[in-house]
Amino acid sequence: MTSDDIRRPRFPVGVSRPVVSPIQPSVVYASVDADALDAQYEGRTKGYTYAREGHPNADTLAGMIDALEDAEGGLVTGSGMAAVTAALLANLKAGDHVIGADQLYGRSLRLMREDLPRFGIDVTLVDPTDAGRLAAAIRPNTRMMLLETVSNPTLRVADLEGAAELARRHGVLLAVDNTFTTPRALQPFAIGADIVIHSVTKLLAGHSDATLGYVAARDPEVRARMHVLAATMGFTPSPFDCWLAERGLYTFGLRFDRAVATASRLAEALSSTTGVRRVLYPTRPDHPDHNRAASLLGGIGGNMVSFELDGGRETVNGFLRAASSLSFAPTLGDVNTTISHPASSSHRALSEAERLGLGISEGFIRVSVGCEEPDALIETFVGSISRGG
Ligand SMILES: *Cc1c(COP(=O)(O)O)cnc(C)c1O
């Protein structure tokens, strides 16, 4: 065998086809001649050129998420934050104003607070559960709103219908990060959102083994701007991660439905557990947004449950050690249940007063419910609270 023999692999092709998508890690794609390349660049033929500009595994995954969100031409990015960044930077310029929810995902909040102002973009953060506050924040140069359907970690439900109406009236783009909610509970495009964003890393991929994002827009021009920006800035996803997410996505519906059913039972069990001060779950009658959870989310409360232990750090540590069979890890949407403690992780940069203002005490625990056997999982929580707390 000479070195030439290994230069260009020849794939064996049979008359049958594989039922699983191939992984295509190729960075470059060879064309027949310059005319063929012209045809490709001019969109007369479909082909790939360079993986940063797009590749088959990203497009396969994007098509699957498009189907879930009833979207067209969605873009898969190398992380959820790349999707958030693409949505903002492709549509904003110096002198514009953007409104964000005051409880956005930590990094999104940082991007809005610290980074956009450096580029001359004004930012106002408001409580998105009240469309009146969103309306009051609108200025003549407001170009965009970035909201999350359900907030972290207090699980407040945004007034997306009010926001969509406002966005329409003022010609503002409404971008909705639908990560916590998923298209199974709400398709933001159906209620008038212009842009939908996901951290695919979470529930859609579902196994904590791929870091990916997704962003789609209704308007083809907005869509094209985001695609170009992502290729220029290098927000490209890894083909292997896309392939893992594709595999994860086949079971997304099953995983989500199971997790939601368990989450609502867990919320119920916690509400009568000694040592639990309060439980937050969007569809429970004592949740401040339960009416909106019923109308907007069709009564699907999601897989996230938050609760407050009666006590401080000691009580929290006792509970976490007693519940050591569950991962204490700041993520969500995994097949396995994960627990996070916002005061020491996602919200540690805030002062105690700011945290308390958001309702996040030292005893506050956020749970991402997974697909375990429900009775055993609930017993782990209830038992660990009584043993540890
Ligand atoms: C995790 C998350 C993100 C960021 O996604 P990454 O894939 O971690 O970059 C954005 N928004 C929400 C709501 C998230 O939960």
Side-chain angles (χ1 to χ4, degrees):
M1 195 154 134
T2 70
S3 58
D4 271 0
D5 292 327
I6 59 167
R7 195 178 288 158
R8 186 170 299 166
R10 303 249 179 251
F11 300 108
V13 181
V15 292
S16 51
R17 64 173 178 86
V19 297
V20 173
S21 297
I23 303 175
Q24 184 51 274
S26 193
V27 171
V28 282
Y29 292 79
S31 301
V32 179
D33 60 18
D35 288 348
L37 203 54
D38 274 347
Q40 227 174 286
Y41 276 122
E42 288 158 18
R44 284 179 279 125
T45 57
K46 168 78 183 161
Y48 295 97
T49 52
Y50 191 73
R52 183 168 28 71
E53 315 271 323
H55 56 74
N57 290 103
D59 286 352
T60 305
L61 180 62
M64 291 173 77
I65 305 175
D66 283 349
L68 290 172
E69 283 291 8
D70 202 8
E72 247 180 80
L75 172 73
V76 168
T77 55
S79 69
M81 280 316 300
V84 173
T85 305
L88 292 170
L89 294 193
N91 295 298
L92 295 170
K93 60 179 187 318
D96 285 345
H97 173 241
V98 57
I99 297 170
D102 58 357
Q103 282 197 41
L104 288 173
Y105 178 72
R107 287 277 161 192
S108 300
L109 211 48
R110 198 199 139 84
L111 180 62
M112 300 281 276
R113 272 208 197 115
E114 314 286 329
D115 298 304
L116 293 187
R118 289 192 294 112
F119 299 105
I121 298 161
D122 288 333
V123 176
T124 306
L125 300 172
V126 291
D127 173 1
T129 62
D130 180 352
R133 294 198 193 185
L134 292 170
I138 298 248
R139 300 182 195 167
N141 61 336
T142 304
R143 171 93 182 109
M144 204 169 165
M145 275 189 259
L146 173 65
L147 309 181
E148 288 172 10
T149 313
V150 172
S151 76
N152 174 40
T154 55
L155 311 179
R156 295 298 306 263
V157 185
D159 184 359
L160 289 189
E161 281 163 323
E165 152 64 20
L166 206 58
R168 219 171 9 247
R169 195 148 25 96
H170 294 272
V172 167
L173 288 172
L174 173 61
V176 176
D177 181 336
N178 205 30
T179 300
F180 273 44
T181 306
T182 83
R184 213 154 170 83
L186 175 78
Q187 292 174 317
F189 285 130
I191 53 141
D194 299 289
I195 296 174
V196 172
I197 299 167
H198 278 283
S199 169
V200 178
T201 313
K202 313 290 170 52
L203 285 146
L204 295 181
H207 294 71
S208 299
D209 54 9
T211 302
L212 290 168
Y214 166 88
V215 59
R218 262 200 310 199
D219 177 349
E221 278 178 32
V222 173
R223 206 183 287 162
R225 276 203 296 274
M226 296 193 302
H227 277 261
V228 171
L229 184 102
T232 304
M233 294 209 158
F235 294 164
T236 319
S238 143
F240 185 60
D241 277 7
C242 293
W243 184 86
L244 281 171
E246 177 187 334
R247 184 188 163 124
L249 211 49
Y250 290 118
T251 55
F252 158 65
L254 285 172
R255 287 186 283 104
F256 188 68
D257 291 355
R258 163 79 164 218
V260 170
T262 307
S264 111
R265 280 188 53 196
L266 175 65
E268 182 64 28
L270 289 173
S271 71
S272 57
T273 300
T274 309
V276 174
R277 195 180 291 160
R278 68 177 176 141
V279 177
L280 290 169
Y281 189 66
T283 52
R284 287 182 62 78
D286 57 358
H287 189 282
D289 305 317
H290 71 273
N291 284 329
R292 192 171 295 142
S295 58
L296 188 67
L297 309 180
I300 299 174
N303 81 310
M304 306 295 292
V305 179
S306 293
F307 64 97
E308 207 177 335
L309 286 171
D310 223 344
R313 180 61 65 99
E314 283 298 295
T315 310
V316 168
N317 281 341
F319 161 70
L320 291 172
R321 284 193 295 261
S324 64
S325 62
L326 306 172
S327 297
F328 172 48
T331 188
L332 66 111
D334 190 79
V335 272
N336 292 308
T337 297
T338 52
I339 306 173
S340 78
H341 179 241
S344 65
S345 59
S346 53
H347 291 69
R348 67 175 301 128
L350 302 185
S351 68
E352 196 184 354
E354 285 174 311
R355 278 198 296 269
L356 290 176
L358 294 172
I360 304 166
S361 65
E362 189 61 37
F364 196 104
I365 303 279
R366 187 196 77 177
V367 184
S368 166
V369 175
C371 302
E372 296 93 337
E373 202 286 308
D375 292 331
L377 183 71
I378 290 165
E379 176 43 39
T380 300
F381 274 92
V382 174
S384 301
I385 289 166
S386 67
R387 272 179 290 130

